[in-house]
Amino acid sequence: GMSNNPVCLGSGGGGGIDYYGPGGSGGGALCLVASQSMTIDGIVSADGEPAFAGKRGGGGSGGSVILRAKQLSGSGVIRANGGAGDNGGGGGGGGRVLIAGYDYSSDYRPFAGSVQAVGGSGGGGAAGQAGTIAYYLPPPPKGTVVVFK
């Protein structure tokens, strides 16, 4: 998937050594759009699943999250993490997160939570690689003074 338009599902993890079992499922794709404001105080997740315990598989890769709003606030968690591998299996790669929006008002309080796209831990195999987190903010209207907080 592309970091500026993440719409792909995460892939499933590989099967275990000697085909003991399947790996974890990949994360889904999620797009939330609000015309004005959006507050995230909970968890928005497109995580890959860990491999099945005892099955030696790989973790599923993270999926995609897109959030578009004029104002994004809150203190929750936005994530597309890879799942953990099991007993020799590797971790799934991190997915993609895009946060798009704008607000140039002086009273705007930006999102204070965490945004994650980390690779899953390896269960004796390699850890998954990190995904991407992108912020898209269009240019301000002509004549606007922008103050970064």
Side-chain angles (χ1 to χ4, degrees):
M2 299 182 306
S3 61
N4 65 347
N5 189 27
V7 295
C8 294
L9 301 172
S11 60
I17 299 169
D18 298 328
Y19 304 100
Y20 280 130
S25 298
L30 175 67
C31 180
L32 298 175
V33 178
S35 62
Q36 291 297 315
S37 64
M38 182 184 304
T39 302
I40 306 293
D41 282 327
I43 297 173
V44 175
S45 171
D47 290 348
E49 294 290 320
F52 293 94
K55 300 295 184 182
R56 302 184 185 185
S61 65
S64 302
V65 175
I66 298 174
L67 300 179
R68 296 183 190 274
K70 183 176 178 185
Q71 294 182 342
L72 178 63
S73 60
S75 58
V77 177
I78 301 164
R79 66 184 191 215
N81 294 335
D86 178 69
N87 196 19
R96 301 195 186 280
V97 177
L98 171 66
I99 297 175
Y102 62 94
D103 190 299
Y104 299 102
S105 63
S106 61
D107 63 343
Y108 173 53
R109 296 181 183 209
F111 182 70
S114 68
V115 182
Q116 307 166 3
V118 299
S121 60
Q129 295 290 310
T132 60
I133 298 171
Y135 296 90
Y136 172 71
L137 303 172
K142 193 171 189 175
T144 301
V145 176
V146 179
V147 177
F148 293 96
K149 300 178 184 178

